[in-house]
Each structure stands twice: as structure tokens, then as C-alpha cells.
């Protein structure tokens, strides 16, 4: 079975925003479980949470660290190139450990109890994999798969993220999905009114499981893209603020000015700055501050032609 976004939200409940934040910030995620097919299924399914990124599969699309580091270098020099998310399937775990030392943006399957290229994968192996990843990563997520309907997620180290954006996305999905399904059911019920149809047929017509999953997928991708595009507008603006500072201007931007300029009203500023750092390899934390700055709002407006 392939895990849809709706299924992941339902199974993970309150842990889903943390998982989403971890993936958006391109922290490595380990998927560990004793069913190798299930582990690989979930490993690949998690890449759909970042549909705005280009998926690369280790040992299919690249086989060496120099290749993936080359992709990252291109990202650093070209804002327009597609960002990447890397999928490492269970059968290639040993190859990944032997060849890769930087796992930013990776989702890595760890099949507990299986032998992979001569290595018996145990809980000790999982600890070794985690330690190997943390040599060059500030944090790492571990998603434990006990059964198809039992999934838990945690970070090795605590996070400072408010998760406000991710929680807002989930809430919007649930509200908009419910509203859309209710409208569809009302229209279907109205169209069948007066017809002599059995309850069995009526139930079948009003069963909208497939539509529910598709709606969830569509709304999720729309909300993620809204966030990514707002962050991209912030990059455009903040890069010019930085240029002005390099030319000698003592200019910084307030959080309010920034959010108004990019048309975004959710989440805390440190979370947005961290997402930009992960997505575009830029740290603009010195370009934004709290408080009012006279005259800057009009200058920002002029950049957008308003």
C-alpha cells in the first residue's frame, strides 16, 4: 500500500506537523521497521510531502557523494533550480553508509531484522546509522514503523520550531476537505431526491473516499506551494536588503514589513528564516528585526510596484 497524505495525517495525528517541519527543513529522516516492504513504501511516500522538490533515489539516480554534493552546489548558485529530496531504500543501506557522509534532505530506510549486503540490521545498527548521520547534521528524525497502522515519529534532539505553519496547513486541509465533501454530498443528495433508489445505492453514491484523498492531496500541495512561494518572495526581498547593507546602508526589515510585502501572515519569523536557510542555503537572520523603521515600508512597496 502507498501511504497518501490523508493516511499519514490520520495515523500520525499530533506528530504529523513535526514530521512535516523536519522534511521542510531538510533534516535527515530514518524510517525504521521490521517489514522491509512497508519501510520502503513509507520511505517513498514521505517524499510526496515535499512535492515541490525533485526526488532523487540513491543508487538509481546517483551513486556517489560527489554527485549529490554537486546538486547542492548548483542549488546554492541558482535560486531557480529545483530543490531536491533524496530517497534511500532499505536494500541500499550499507552502500549509503559506505559512500555518503552528508544526509541533509535524505529519507533513509532501515530494515530491522534483515540482512542487507551482508550486514544484519539490528537496533545497534540503527544507533550506528543515527550516529553516522549526526556527524554532519544538526538533527535527525526517526520514524518507527511497528505495523501498517502504527507509526511514531521523534527527533533525536529537540527543536525550537513553533510548528505554527505546519499546524496551520493541517487545519486548513481538514477544514477545506470537510467543506468540499459536504458540498458534494449535498449536491448528490439533491440530485437523487425523488428517485426510487435503495439505501445501498445511495450509500455507494455518497461514499467519497477516493475524492477525500484527492482533495487532501490537492489542498496540501496548494498550501505547501503557498508557503514556498511566499518564502521565495522573501528571498528576493531580503537579498536586496543585504545588497543595500553591503553598499553601506544601515537597513534592516521589520517582521511586519516583511510579511506584508510577501503576502504571508502565518508562522513565526525564526521558522521562516530557518526554512529559507534550508531551501536556498541563505541566512538572512541579520536582515530582519523587530521594531519600526521609518521610511522602509515605502521603499519595500516601491520594489513591488505599489
Amino acid at each position: 500500500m502507498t501511504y497518501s497524505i490523508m493516511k499519514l495525517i490520520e495515523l500520525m495525528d499530533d506528530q504529523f506537523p513535526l514530521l512535516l517541519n523536519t522534511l521542510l527543513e531538510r533534516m535527515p529522516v530514518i524510517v525504521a521497521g521490521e517489514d522491509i516492504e512497508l519501510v520502503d513504501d513509507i520511505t517513498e511516500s514521505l517524499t510526496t510531502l515535499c512535492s515541490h522538490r525533485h526526488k532523487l533515489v540513491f543508487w538509481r539516480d546517483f551513486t556517489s557523494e560527489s554527485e549529490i554534493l554537486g546538486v547542492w552546489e548548483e542549488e546554492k548558485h541558482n535560486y531557480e533550480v529545483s530543490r531536491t529530496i533524496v530517497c534511500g531504500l532499505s536494500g541500499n543501506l550499507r552502500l549509503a553508509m559506505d559512500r555518503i557522509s552528508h544526509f541533509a534532505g535524505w529519507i533513509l530506510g532501515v530494515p530491522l531484522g534483515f540482512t542487507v549486503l551482508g550486514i544484519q540490521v539490528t537496533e545497534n545498527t540503527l544507533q550506528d546509522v543515527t550516529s553516522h548521520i549526526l556527524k554532519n547534521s544538526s538533527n535527525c528524525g526517526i520514524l518507527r514503523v511497528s505495523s501498517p497502522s502504527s507509526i511514531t515519529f521523534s527527533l533525536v534532539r529537540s527543536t525550537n520550531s513553533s510548528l505554527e505553519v505546519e499546524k496551520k496547513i493541517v487545519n486548513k486541509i481538514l477544514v477545506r476537505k470537510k467543506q468540499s465533501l459536504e458540498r458534494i454530498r449535498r449536491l448528490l443528495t439533491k440530485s437523487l431526491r425523488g428517485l426510487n433508489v435503495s439505501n445501498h445505492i445511495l450509500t455507494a453514491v455518497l461514499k467519497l473516499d477516493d475524492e477525500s484523498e484527492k482533495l487532501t492531496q490537492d489542498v496540501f500541495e496548494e498550501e505547501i506551494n503557498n508557503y514556498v512561494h511566499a518564502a521565495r518572495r522573501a528571498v528576493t526581498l531580503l537579498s536586496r536588503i543585504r545588497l543595500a547593507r553591503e553598499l553601506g546602508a544601515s537597513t534592516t526589515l521589520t517582521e511586519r514589513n516583511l510579511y506584508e510585502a510577501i503576502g504571508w501572515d502565518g508562522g513565526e519569523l525564526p521558522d521562516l528564516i530557518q526554512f529559507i536557510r534550508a531551501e536556498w542555503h541563505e541566512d538572512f537572520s541579520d536582515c530582519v528585526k523587530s521594531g519600526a523603521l521609518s521610511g522602509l515600508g515605502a521603499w519595500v512597496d516601491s520594489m513591488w510596484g505599489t
Side-chain angles (χ1 to χ4, degrees):
M1 62 182 294
T2 298
Y3 283 74
S4 65
I5 290 172
M6 186 176 76
K7 186 70 172 177
L8 288 170
I9 291 174
E10 290 174 348
L11 287 177
M12 301 192 67
D13 198 23
D14 292 342
Q15 294 178 343
F16 182 82
L18 179 60
L19 171 64
L20 179 57
N21 173 263
T22 303
L23 293 171
L24 288 176
E25 294 192 0
R26 302 176 96 173
M27 284 185 265
V29 172
I30 296 171
V31 180
E34 297 181 352
D35 183 329
I36 191 168
E37 291 185 1
L38 185 58
V39 166
D40 282 346
D41 188 9
I42 293 177
T43 298
E44 292 213 75
S45 295
L46 291 184
T47 64
T48 64
L49 299 182
C50 296
S51 60
H52 63 290
R53 294 181 183 147
H54 176 59
K55 182 175 79 171
L56 295 176
V57 179
F58 176 63
W59 212 251
R60 185 191 72 186
D61 299 315
F62 70 99
T63 59
S64 68
E65 183 156 66
S66 61
E67 291 176 273
I68 192 62
L69 290 180
V71 171
W72 276 64
E73 278 302 310
E74 186 178 5
E75 287 186 11
K76 292 177 182 179
H77 294 96
N78 185 355
Y79 287 164
E80 304 305 323
V81 73
S82 295
R83 312 290 105 173
T84 57
I85 185 167
V86 179
C87 179
L89 299 178
S90 299
N92 298 317
L93 175 62
R94 180 176 179 179
L95 293 167
M97 291 300 98
D98 289 344
R99 291 169 174 253
I100 307 297
S101 59
H102 294 80
F103 287 87
W106 278 63
I107 305 171
L108 186 65
V110 176
L112 299 173
F114 285 82
T115 300
V116 178
L117 296 180
I119 291 182
Q120 180 69 24
V121 181
T122 65
E123 286 290 339
N124 287 335
T125 310
L126 176 59
Q127 293 180 14
D128 292 341
V129 170
T130 304
S131 298
H132 181 66
I133 288 174
L134 288 174
K135 288 179 181 178
N136 291 300
S137 298
S138 61
N139 209 342
C140 176
I142 300 178
L143 191 146
R144 291 267 188 175
V145 184
S146 302
S147 72
S149 59
S150 179
I151 301 173
T152 58
F153 180 74
S154 62
L155 290 175
V156 175
R157 298 165 182 161
S158 60
T159 177
N160 294 323
S161 175
S162 69
L163 303 181
E164 187 177 331
V165 168
E166 293 79 10
K167 290 176 182 178
K168 185 176 180 181
I169 288 173
V170 172
N171 288 335
K172 281 189 175 182
I173 288 171
L174 298 178
V175 170
R176 290 180 59 184
K177 181 186 73 172
K178 181 180 179 181
Q179 291 173 341
S180 296
L181 291 177
E182 286 177 349
R183 284 195 296 268
I184 293 172
R185 287 194 176 98
R186 281 199 304 269
L187 288 171
L188 290 173
T189 302
K190 185 177 180 180
S191 67
L192 294 173
R193 191 175 299 159
L195 298 179
N196 186 21
V197 296
S198 66
N199 289 334
H200 175 72
I201 293 176
L202 182 61
T203 300
V205 170
L206 296 179
K207 186 178 181 181
L208 301 172
D209 291 352
D210 290 343
E211 289 76 7
S212 179
E213 290 204 358
K214 185 64 168 63
L215 276 169
T216 302
Q217 178 82 26
D218 290 346
V219 175
F220 178 84
E221 291 183 2
E222 179 183 334
E223 293 299 328
I224 290 293
N225 284 331
N226 286 342
Y227 183 47
V228 172
H229 293 159
R232 180 65 180 84
R233 292 192 293 272
V235 170
T236 299
L237 176 56
L238 292 172
S239 62
R240 284 157 175 76
I241 294 289
R242 174 182 287 166
L243 177 60
R245 289 164 61 88
E246 290 174 352
L247 293 174
S250 57
T251 302
T252 52
L253 197 63
T254 66
E255 178 179 344
R256 179 180 175 181
N257 284 150
L258 175 63
Y259 277 34
E260 287 179 351
I262 66 175
W264 185 252
D265 61 358
E268 296 186 4
L269 179 61
D271 297 339
L272 177 62
I273 295 297
Q274 177 56 37
F275 175 64
I276 290 173
R277 185 184 295 119
E279 193 80 353
W280 289 283
H281 311 277
E282 295 281 7
D283 184 0
F284 291 111
S285 55
D286 63 331
C287 297
V288 190
K289 72 173 187 179
S290 301
L293 294 175
S294 61
L296 187 57
W299 180 79
V300 169
D301 288 343
S302 70
M303 287 187 59
W304 308 105
T306 59

